[in-house]
Amino acid sequence: RIAPPSRRVPRGTSRGRIPSGGLLSSAPLPPSEPLAASPAGAWAEATARRAETGKGGVPSRDEVAQKLQELIDRLERADEGARERLSGAVPARVIQIDVPDLDVSFWSELQGGRLDGLHEGASPDTDIRVVADSQILVDLVDGERSLFSSYVAGHVRIDASMADLLALRKLL
């Protein structure tokens, strides 16, 4: 069936594209925009950034542990009001972080707005499980990547209740 002339789409275009260069446009990104929209682009960007700092391509187990400890320390230095809000939003929870590219897991218990320390290995009783490759995790802790956009893009998997998901957003 052929669409009437008033509804035909000109050759070389397709429905759903915004010709003005909007968000859904197929037009190339301006040169100032990062090209890390794809996992390959994110990997290339992260590798280049790590090469500039003199580090290899993938963060090591020790580097990931150090970044997670930085997150714990940052929460410890937060003002009491922030910890109280987190404590009110999240009851005591065990958070496990799996890093599949390094084949390692870390966990900590969040209680009273504080994380009890970093433990290596699988937790005996996990309430919230976060799965992310090492570079994604380092970028999240460094604030170079958003938890929400990483989750939506499939770079981070989180197994938790909806209430815990919303609370976890406050932590990262």
Side-chain angles (χ1 to χ4, degrees), residues 82-172:
R83 284 197 302 270
E84 285 176 13
R85 285 189 302 275
L86 184 60
S87 177
V90 184
R93 292 285 188 250
V94 175
I95 302 171
Q96 180 170 313
I97 300 172
D98 297 331
V99 189
D101 64 326
L102 299 178
D103 195 30
V104 67
S105 296
F106 300 94
W107 66 276
S108 184
E109 185 173 0
L110 177 63
Q111 187 170 359
R114 288 184 158 79
L115 289 165
D116 74 345
L118 188 63
H119 311 279
E120 189 169 342
S123 162
D125 186 29
T126 300
D127 298 304
I128 301 171
R129 175 165 289 146
V130 178
V131 180
D133 282 339
S134 57
Q135 187 61 56
I136 301 294
L137 194 57
V138 167
D139 289 349
L140 284 169
V141 174
D142 285 345
E144 296 176 15
R145 191 179 285 268
S146 156
L147 177 61
F148 179 75
S149 61
S150 297
Y151 176 77
V152 170
H155 299 154
V156 174
R157 193 181 90 221
I158 303 173
D159 299 325
S161 70
M162 184 58 75
D164 287 343
L165 278 174
L166 294 172
L168 186 62
R169 188 178 60 152
K170 293 179 183 179
L171 182 61
L172 290 175

Side-chain angles (χ1 to χ4, degrees), residues 72-86:
I72 291 169
D73 294 344
R74 192 179 315 148
L75 183 59
E76 189 61 35
R77 288 189 308 268
D79 65 71
E80 193 61 35
R83 284 197 302 270
E84 285 176 13
R85 285 189 302 275
L86 184 60

